[in-house]
Each structure stands twice: as structure tokens, then as C-alpha cells.
Amino acid sequence: MTALAPPAPALDLRTRFYAELDPLLDAYPDVDVVLAVIGSGYMARAIERHPGRVIDVGIREQALIGVAGGLALAGRRPIVHTFASFLVERPYEQVKLDLGHQDVGAVLVSAGASYDVSAGGRTHQSPADVTLISALPGWTVHVPGHADEVAEILHREAAGTGRVYVRLSGQRNVRPGPVDGRLHLVRDGGTAGAPLVVAVGPMLDTVLEATADLPVRVAWTATPHPLDAEGLRALAGPAPVLAVVTPYLEGTGAGEVAAALVDRPSRVLHVGVPGETELRRYGTPRDHAAAHGLDAAGVRRRVSAFLA
């Protein structure tokens, strides 16, 4: 079981991302940052100290990805940032062609998660972003749950060459976890072979609260795609009873889970933002989490009913 680190000072994931950009540009001379207005007001130091390496294309999301693709073809390592709905959904064809089909790498870093910008309405909500990115070949998806994880992921991926999506959320866990792409057991439940609940990214603290007195084990990962199939098989056992709790579209990754357990009789519950639910009142992120059953009470209801 992975030992928990001492609680770290609370810091918003997006704030940490902006704070890391200046030292990141110092450390990696081939990195450029590409923006579509959003975030530029937080990057004054990076813009001043690294002229020409923070590129704001304006409110042109298709051009945002096109410019990133051109930079990558020229041997640069672009870090591309805006809200998830404008980074993935609006320019999806460019993500597919200018990065994927050209077989070049980039680091896409989103903010807003599924409904962090709830007051912005549906245009600023993107529960399907991880689903869409995972449908394209060659991508790695990180969903950190703590600011320290954001920093580690950024520096590692800035030094890489692959196509990477990093999803930042306003929700966060109290403690950072290891961001090595593996699935880590956080609570053993005291019973070998007990049902397993897998929390993704910032859902860990919610899942721990929701299952505090339930006879389950809890595991966690910050990298849901590609799935750590070997780790899941090791934890799930020969006849898995498994719940997967994600902060994005429910059922995302179901195919990878099924493939990992294809030779085992299993019962699997996926808990996430329901695909059939369309909220038309803005509310707060907390309101949306409760409405979608992604607060502690909602997760507990789903998991308890599944176990029963």
C-alpha cells in the first residue's frame, strides 16, 4: 500500500501551472507556450523574461492547435493552454490532424475541468474532453489531483516528445500522490479480495470520504489513459467487483477496463458525469457535483447500491 505523504499547503492546480511556466522556459529552451488569450494575464513574468516564446494567437482555438502543430514540426515542444472546451472540443479536428495525423508531440494543458466554470454556461463545460482525447491514437492523459503533481507532470512531459493531455481542476486532494502512470492502493479495507474502488485524480478525497465505513479497498491514479492494466489486474483479483469514479464523462475508459479484465468474471460500475444529463441552470461547481452524484453523498449512494 502506498504511504500517504504529509499534507502540503493548499494551492490551486491552475495557479501552480502558471507559476511553473517561467522556470519551465528557463529549463527547456525548446519549449514554447501557446495561448488563446485565456491565461495571458497570469504570465507577465514569463512573457517579459522569454520574449517570443509565449505566443497568444487571440480567440482562435483552431489556430491555437495549428500553430502548436507547426511549432512541433519545426522541432519545438509546444505547451498549449486554454479552457478544456476550447482546447479539445472546439478544435478537435485540428487536434486529430495537426498533431495526431502529423505524428508530432505537444502538451495540452486545460483548465475548467467538467464544470469548474459553471457560471460560464455550457460553452465552458467539458465533461467529454478525456473521452475525446482518449479516442485518438498515441495520447497520454494525466488528471492530477494536487498542485505538486502538476509541477512534476509538467517538467517530465516538457522534456518528452509525446502527445499529452493534462487536465487541471479546481477540485483537489489534500495530499499529492505519485504520478508514475501506475494504479496505487491507498486503503486496503482490511479484507483481501474486498471490492475495489478506483478514484481518478481529484476524486480521491471524495471517494475516501464516501467509502470511509464501507468494506472496500480504494486505489488511485493520476493517469487514466493509457490504463495501468497490469496494476488493475493485480489489485482486482480473480473475480473483480470494481467501481471506477472519474470527474469526467461516466464510462470513459470502460473499454480499457474491460480489456484488462477480459479473462475474468467481473462486475464493474462506472461513476462519473452522466452522459444523459444536461444541466441548464448555472449554479456553482458544488451544485453541479451534487446534481451529478459526484459529491461524497452521491458516490456513496452509487457504490453502496452496487455492493448491495
Side-chain angles (χ1 to χ4, degrees), residues 3-299:
L4 295 178
L11 185 64
D12 181 81
L13 276 64
R14 187 180 175 196
T15 301
R16 183 62 176 269
F17 166 66
Y18 294 141
E20 290 295 326
L21 286 179
D22 184 51
L24 197 75
L25 290 169
D26 280 336
Y28 304 98
D30 60 336
V31 165
D32 295 315
V33 178
V34 191
L35 308 171
V37 177
I38 289 166
S40 59
Y42 300 90
M43 300 184 191
R45 179 172 172 79
I47 293 170
E48 179 183 356
R49 294 191 65 248
H50 303 278
R53 293 178 61 194
V54 180
I55 304 162
D56 187 345
V57 303
I59 308 176
R60 300 174 179 87
E61 287 81 10
Q62 288 83 0
L64 177 77
I65 303 300
V67 167
L71 289 167
L73 284 168
R76 307 293 294 170
R77 182 64 166 159
I79 295 177
V80 192
H81 173 64
T82 185
F83 289 138
S85 56
F86 306 146
L87 186 61
V88 176
E89 293 180 330
R90 188 168 292 176
Y92 190 63
E93 184 177 13
Q94 284 68 37
V95 174
K96 179 179 73 174
L97 298 177
D98 296 358
L99 296 174
H101 189 61
Q102 296 287 356
D103 197 20
V104 292
V107 182
L108 308 187
V109 182
S110 73
S114 293
Y115 39 73
D116 284 355
V117 196
S118 56
R122 191 65 175 89
T123 56
H124 287 62
Q125 297 168 17
S126 185
D129 56 342
V130 174
T131 314
L132 291 168
I133 288 290
S134 299
L136 299 174
W139 283 86
T140 296
V141 177
H142 298 299
V143 185
H146 190 278
D148 289 354
E149 298 164 17
V150 174
E152 184 176 343
I153 289 168
L154 276 177
H155 284 269
R156 184 176 70 231
E157 299 297 358
T161 59
R163 290 186 289 279
V164 180
Y165 180 53
V166 183
R167 187 186 210 253
L168 305 183
S169 172
Q171 185 178 357
R172 57 184 182 265
N173 301 319
V174 172
R175 297 175 177 87
V179 285
D180 53 7
R182 303 301 302 274
L183 191 64
H184 293 269
L185 188 64
V186 177
R187 178 191 291 157
D188 65 14
T191 305
L196 180 67
V197 181
V198 174
V200 173
M203 292 303 300
L204 176 59
D205 284 2
T206 298
V207 167
L208 289 173
E209 179 183 350
T211 62
D213 60 348
L214 297 181
V216 300
R217 296 168 297 144
V218 176
W220 173 85
T221 185
T223 306
H225 178 76
L227 176 69
D228 175 17
E230 180 182 347
L232 180 62
R233 287 174 62 82
L235 290 173
V241 176
L242 170 69
V244 181
V245 183
T246 66
Y248 41 79
L249 189 65
E250 188 166 288
T252 300
E256 290 184 85
V257 171
L261 304 177
V262 66
D263 60 336
R264 304 180 183 186
S266 56
R267 295 178 56 230
V268 182
L269 169 71
H270 291 275
V271 179
V273 180
E276 69 277 6
T277 302
E278 179 81 24
L279 299 183
R280 292 180 171 85
R281 296 184 179 182
Y282 289 178
T284 65
R286 187 184 296 263
D287 293 331
H288 281 248
H292 291 309
L294 285 178
D295 58 357
V299 171

